[in-house]
Amino acid sequence: MPEPRVRDEAGRQPEPARGPAALSDRLPAGWLLPLIAFGAAWGLLLAAWQVANAIAGTSWPWVRYFQFADGSTYNWITVNGYPGRHGIPPTAARAAFFPVMPLLAKTVGDMTNHDYLPAEIIVQVVMGAVSAVAVWALVAHFAGRRIADRAALLYVAFPGAMTLGLYYPEPMGNALAALCLLAVLNRKWLLSGLLALFASAVHPSLIILTPVLAVMAVRAIRREREWAALIAPALAPLGMAWYFALLAGDEHSFWFWFDDQAGGWRQRADWIGHEARVLTWTDPGTRSHPLFNVLVIVTAVVLVAGIVAMVKARVPLPVSLYTVLAALSLVMATAPGPTPRLAWTALGIFPGLAARLPSWAFWAALTACALLLAFLYGWWPHQAVPPVP
């Protein structure tokens, strides 16, 4: 298989790669392929819901799956808003949930006679579709359509894509991250900074876009004296800073969110200690859930393999750096670790695996991912004490 042709630092178009035609070349527009794949993934999730109900002998409505676990908290915030003096939830636990996704769904709901469930579904479907197209466009930019097609298929079939059918922020976060990285490759500094700003108010893990933009700004200044690049890392953390400032107004501490994570949610930096215990089957919190423990171990192996493939495929620096930082953020915390839902955010593994896997291995991996995706979406809500995949 030919290596993907990576664009140069100026973002110039590579020469057409030799080899078989891309699947998307057969469609009127290339971006239709990730949309079709996204639709197929949603169909798989809906089928998994029906099968899980039949196996468990339940008649749960689909909304029970869509608003499961953290989705119910996001739904509460969407319906009730942020009623505190500065717009902050009245309980410390809800302060852990960043505001962009529920505020967007609330805005859409307020435009549709305060019918919030359809608004939440609209936001999640649109953001999921945008994320699939954005990942495809990002990879097509530096590796061509054939690799982009494969990467998009892996992306929507990866077990972490279960959040396409849950009211969770990962699809929106991935959409913003992929678009931000694409803007960086095109040297659109203001646009990349604004996208990172919104991303940092969607989920705390997306603050990793800030050091990525800082590294790329330093490179741009050193190579071409492009001082305008500094605008990107300057804007990137402002979304998170804005939310922390609102929290400080009600809780009288700019560090309230960090204290809440450590005290209320018991999440803190653990420097790989937690992951070492999971991998050696000695973690008391996960060894009582053997299937979940196996899932985390397998996901960790896939994540490492994806990063190795990404390096060998010479994926551009901003995408590679973002992926490595995303992976490190998963293994350096006490919980929950490299679960499929969080590993899904390490976007660079998809072009890496798409470029390096031989055809037979790619289709085998895609099939295995799709089967596990359907299993997780149906299995997880039926657990008495569900771990978070």
Side-chain angles (χ1 to χ4, degrees):
M1 177 182 300
E3 295 287 339
R5 291 183 174 270
V6 177
R7 289 185 182 222
D8 59 22
E9 291 297 324
R12 288 187 286 264
Q13 176 70 39
E15 296 177 6
R18 298 178 181 177
L23 293 173
S24 57
D25 289 337
R26 304 171 186 176
L27 299 173
W31 51 265
L32 288 174
L33 184 131
L35 279 185
I36 294 171
F38 167 77
W42 255 94
L44 182 64
L45 294 178
L46 293 176
W49 154 54
Q50 296 283 5
V51 172
N53 271 351
I55 293 175
T58 58
S59 57
W60 291 353
W62 178 78
V63 67
R64 174 77 176 264
Y65 291 82
F66 182 70
Q67 294 179 347
F68 187 71
D70 285 357
S72 64
T73 302
Y74 279 113
N75 173 67
W76 188 96
I77 296 172
T78 299
V79 173
N80 297 283
Y82 287 119
R85 182 165 62 92
H86 293 88
I88 299 304
T91 64
R94 294 194 184 102
F97 296 83
F98 274 38
V100 167
M101 185 181 74
L103 286 179
L104 177 58
K106 182 175 179 62
T107 300
V108 175
D110 288 343
M111 297 167 60
T112 57
N113 298 320
H114 306 286
D115 200 353
Y116 293 113
L117 176 60
E120 293 167 357
I121 294 173
I122 289 170
V123 167
Q124 202 67 347
V125 169
V126 170
M127 288 297 105
V130 170
S131 75
V133 174
V135 168
W136 180 88
L138 173 65
V139 179
H141 179 84
F142 62 78
R145 281 191 173 189
R146 182 168 178 269
I147 302 302
D149 292 350
R150 286 184 161 206
L153 291 174
L154 283 174
Y155 173 76
V156 300
F158 194 76
M162 63 187 292
T163 57
L164 292 173
L166 294 166
Y167 192 37
Y168 272 56
E170 279 77 16
M172 179 181 289
N174 283 352
L176 290 169
L179 291 173
C180 175
L181 295 170
L182 181 58
V184 169
L185 290 176
N186 283 297
R187 312 180 85 82
K188 306 292 185 182
W189 305 113
L190 177 59
L191 178 59
S192 63
L194 289 173
L195 289 166
L197 183 155
F198 283 106
S200 70
V202 169
H203 194 275
S205 65
L206 291 169
I207 194 64
I208 62 174
L209 284 168
T210 301
V212 172
L213 296 180
V215 168
M216 298 310 297
V218 170
R219 282 170 62 98
I221 292 170
R222 290 185 61 184
R223 293 186 174 190
E224 300 183 23
R225 301 297 183 207
E226 197 170 354
W227 293 96
L230 290 174
I231 190 67
L235 288 172
L238 295 185
M240 176 180 280
W242 161 75
Y243 184 55
F244 286 176
L246 292 179
L247 282 173
D250 279 354
E251 306 295 341
H252 311 293
S253 171
F254 191 79
W255 307 107
F256 173 79
W257 185 85
F258 297 96
D259 295 337
D260 182 47
Q261 289 291 294
W265 292 90
R266 298 183 180 181
Q267 292 192 20
R268 53 183 171 77
D270 195 33
W271 306 106
I272 312 181
H274 171 71
E275 304 315 319
R277 291 190 294 273
V278 171
L279 294 175
T280 56
W281 214 281
T282 58
D283 181 66
T286 60
R287 65 184 179 186
S288 58
H289 300 282
L291 184 58
F292 176 73
N293 213 71
V294 169
L295 183 66
V296 173
I297 293 172
V298 171
T299 303
V301 171
V302 171
L303 192 59
V304 171
I307 291 174
V308 171
M310 176 187 72
V311 172
K312 289 186 176 182
R314 295 177 291 179
V315 171
L317 177 62
V319 182
S320 297
L321 181 57
Y322 175 81
T323 301
V324 171
L325 291 176
L328 287 176
S329 71
L330 300 183
V331 301
M332 293 177 65
T334 53
T339 62
R341 174 175 65 93
L342 298 178
W344 192 51
T345 64
L347 301 179
I349 67 174
F350 300 112
L353 292 171
R356 299 298 301 181
L357 287 177
S359 183
W360 66 268
F362 168 79
W363 292 109
L366 186 66
T367 302
C369 282
L371 291 174
L372 186 54
L373 169 63
F375 170 75
L376 286 181
Y377 190 73
W379 165 80
W380 180 36
H382 288 274
Q383 303 310 296
V385 184
V388 183

